[in-house]
Each structure stands twice: as C-alpha cells, then as structure tokens.
Amino acid sequence: MAKSRTQIDRRVQAFIQTCRRQGLKVTHQRMEIFRELAVSRTHPDAEAVFRAVAGRVPSISRDTVYRTLSTLEAEGLIRKVEPVFESVRYDANLDPHHHFVCTACGAIHDFYSEDLDRLPIPPSVKALGQIDSAQVQIRGVCSVCVDRKSQSRQHRAE
Ligand SMILES: [Zn+2]
Ligand SMILES: [Zn+2]
C-alpha cells in the first residue's frame, strides 16, 4: 500500500504536536529520523534508518539515530515492532493496524481491517491479564519477491 502525501504529513504534524505537548524539542535530526520512518513502507530497523538519514544529513552519527529512536519510543511517538527477524523494527504508524511480513526480504507492510480490529479475544487470553491491544501478523512472500523469484526461474529456463 503506497503511503499518500497527506498521510505522511498528518503523521509528521501529529509528531510535532506530541513533541511540543511533552516538552520534547523538535530538532532537525529528530524530525529527519521520524520523517524517514513515516515515509518508509517497510518498518526499517535502526541501521536502515541511519543509512537513509545519513544520506541527507551527513553529520548525523549512528549513535544519535539509535538514541533518538529509543527516546521517541519511550515517549510513545513511535512503536517497536515485535522482533520478527534479528533486529528490532520501528513503526511511525500509531493507528490500529496489522502487519504483512515478507519472510523473503523482511519487509513489513501495514494493512487495515476493521474486522481484525474487532477480533474477539479468547477467554484464555483474557485470563492471562488485562488486554491493551491486539495486532495480527500475517507472514508470506511479498509480490516483489514473488516476481523476483519467477524472473530468476525464467532466466534459468532460457
Ligand atoms: Zn519481499
Ligand atoms: Zn505498522
């Protein structure tokens, strides 16, 4: 699902407002890091955020990116995605949504489903404690990877 300009702008505006409300300075670096997450369609890890932001802000250090992501996460401005692969991934989308995880390339795509938002929580889970939220994770192979695979098969056949 492509992210629209307005959706990104809405998240950036909400980010700025929340920072102000929580007394967190909206620095150029924080803004660049958040924007990178908001624009990205794949829920990047800290290393990928660093590489992308360093392309635009060469003075930024890896340490700053890692620390900023932790700060933003602690302030509730971004969310950690449950580790699916070896590294923690981050999400700028705080709306209720679910994830499609590509097991080939590791991309995590957002999708929306009101039915899944209303997913009945089994009594056995309720017995475990208080429920705050539920998110569905669907694993599969994304269409980019499916195409790549079928192309390489064609190559071999030629
Ligand atoms: Zn993929
Ligand atoms: Zn997400």
Side-chain angles (χ1 to χ4, degrees):
M1 195 192 328
K3 283 187 179 176
S4 67
R5 275 276 105 201
T6 50
Q7 195 180 46
I8 294 164
D9 287 344
R10 190 171 58 81
R11 278 188 199 142
V12 169
Q13 286 313 313
F15 171 76
I16 294 169
Q17 278 166 17
T18 309
C19 281
R20 291 209 177 117
R21 208 170 41 235
Q22 293 174 201
L24 202 69
K25 258 208 194 132
V26 185
T27 62
H28 176 60
Q29 294 190 332
R30 279 181 182 156
M31 198 62 216
E32 285 292 331
I33 289 166
F34 182 81
R35 183 168 267 281
E36 182 54 39
L37 270 185
V39 169
S40 167
R41 295 175 53 193
T42 57
H43 302 70
D45 62 13
E47 197 56 34
V49 172
F50 168 67
R51 281 196 306 272
V53 174
R56 296 192 301 273
V57 190
S59 61
I60 204 162
S61 72
R62 178 178 273 108
D63 189 52
T64 300
V65 172
Y66 277 72
R67 265 190 296 110
T68 303
L69 288 169
S70 296
T71 305
L72 298 185
E73 202 256 327
E75 295 282 338
L77 290 155
I78 60 173
R79 236 178 238 155
K80 261 184 198 165
V81 179
E82 285 317 303
V84 181
F85 299 94
E86 55 294 340
S87 58
V88 172
R89 311 279 284 266
Y90 290 96
D91 198 344
N93 183 1
L94 302 178
D95 297 332
H97 69 284
H98 309 276
H99 286 151
F100 175 89
V101 179
C102 175
T103 51
C105 69
I108 303 175
H109 295 280
D110 289 341
F111 71 91
Y112 299 87
S113 162
E114 286 180 13
D115 288 337
L116 291 183
D117 293 345
R118 287 192 298 262
L119 199 67
I121 307 291
S124 59
V125 177
K126 285 183 179 154
L128 295 172
Q130 179 202 316
I131 313 292
D132 292 329
S133 65
Q135 193 174 35
V136 173
Q137 185 186 88
I138 294 183
R139 287 159 170 268
V141 179
C142 77
S143 44
V144 175
C145 290
V146 169
D147 287 350
R148 204 181 289 136
K149 263 186 201 157
S150 69
Q151 261 166 23
S152 67
R153 252 197 305 277
Q154 264 167 23
H155 270 297
R156 277 200 297 274
E158 275 163 14

